[in-house]
Amino acid sequence: MSIRGRRPRDLPALRRWFTDPHAQWRDWDAPYLHAVQTTGSLAAYVEQLERTPPNPNERVVSLDGQCIGMVNRSETPPEDGGWWDLGIIIHDPQFWGRGVGSRALALWVDATLNETDAHVLTFSTWGGNERMIRAAHRLGFREAGRVREARLVRGVRHDSVQLDLLRREWTPLP
């Protein structure tokens, strides 16, 4: 498995995953957002990907040459402040629960620490995404904040959870 720059041949898979309003990954990645709105936003995002060169702050998660997900990062203002927020999506459920997401996140942490001035890395999820929270903890992330019952998912209230990792705390995976 690797993370790599997006290639033209990745676009059909990305279009399929991002524009399917019933894709299972949506049950875990911000399911509190309305599917109709996110489908439109994601379709526009894929159209942007088709028109623009690869962005170093977005990479494809590749397994045996196939695009199975994406990672992204953005610098939290102010610029050069050393705070980068990370994101990860493994689209295909056949790869869930097999350590693929943990490995992709570890590779992305390594890349971000090697390519940026990051002092602290964060990512946010919702309390019902227990697999993501466990994966982050295994990699050394700690809970940095919790907003109780902030997310409504299928009629049930869940906490919003933010996790963080300082550069000095990172231990790369073998």
Side-chain angles (χ1 to χ4, degrees):
M1 189 195 54
S2 66
I3 56 171
R4 60 169 171 75
R6 173 179 39 85
R7 298 176 183 155
R9 71 173 189 234
D10 299 324
L11 291 170
L14 292 172
R15 176 171 289 286
R16 184 183 72 227
W17 288 114
F18 280 133
T19 60
D20 179 357
H22 305 292
Q24 280 186 280
W25 68 267
R26 289 178 179 226
D27 291 341
W28 303 102
D29 186 78
Y32 41 83
L33 299 176
H34 297 286
V36 172
Q37 292 169 332
T38 55
T39 299
S41 297
L42 290 170
Y45 173 67
V46 172
E47 289 174 15
Q48 175 203 345
L49 292 178
E50 291 171 341
R51 294 189 313 268
T52 59
N55 177 338
N57 293 322
E58 298 176 330
R59 308 263 168 87
V60 163
V61 178
S62 178
L63 185 63
D64 298 327
Q66 298 289 354
C67 171
I68 64 163
M70 284 190 78
V71 292
N72 61 48
R73 64 183 174 215
S74 59
E75 188 172 19
T76 301
E79 192 172 310
D80 297 324
W83 176 1
W84 287 79
D85 194 55
L86 307 180
I88 179 172
I89 299 173
I90 303 299
H91 294 117
D92 195 330
Q94 74 174 317
F95 300 111
W96 297 351
R98 296 176 39 194
V100 171
S102 294
R103 183 71 182 151
L105 182 57
L107 292 170
W108 195 223
V109 167
D110 262 345
T112 300
L113 293 175
N114 288 329
E115 297 168 10
T116 72
D117 67 344
H119 174 74
V120 62
L121 304 177
T122 60
F123 75 88
S124 299
T125 190
W126 60 289
N129 195 349
E130 295 171 4
R131 285 189 314 248
M132 187 71 247
I133 294 169
R134 279 194 310 272
H137 283 152
R138 279 192 303 272
L139 296 176
F141 281 80
R142 298 180 187 179
E143 188 171 310
R146 182 176 286 261
V147 179
R148 296 176 298 148
E149 300 183 11
R151 301 297 187 196
L152 184 62
V153 178
R154 295 178 283 283
V156 177
R157 289 272 170 200
H158 294 271
D159 297 350
S160 175
V161 181
Q162 186 174 49
L163 298 116
D164 70 5
L165 176 76
L166 298 176
R167 179 182 284 272
R168 69 178 172 267
E169 297 169 338
W170 176 239
T171 303
L173 294 178

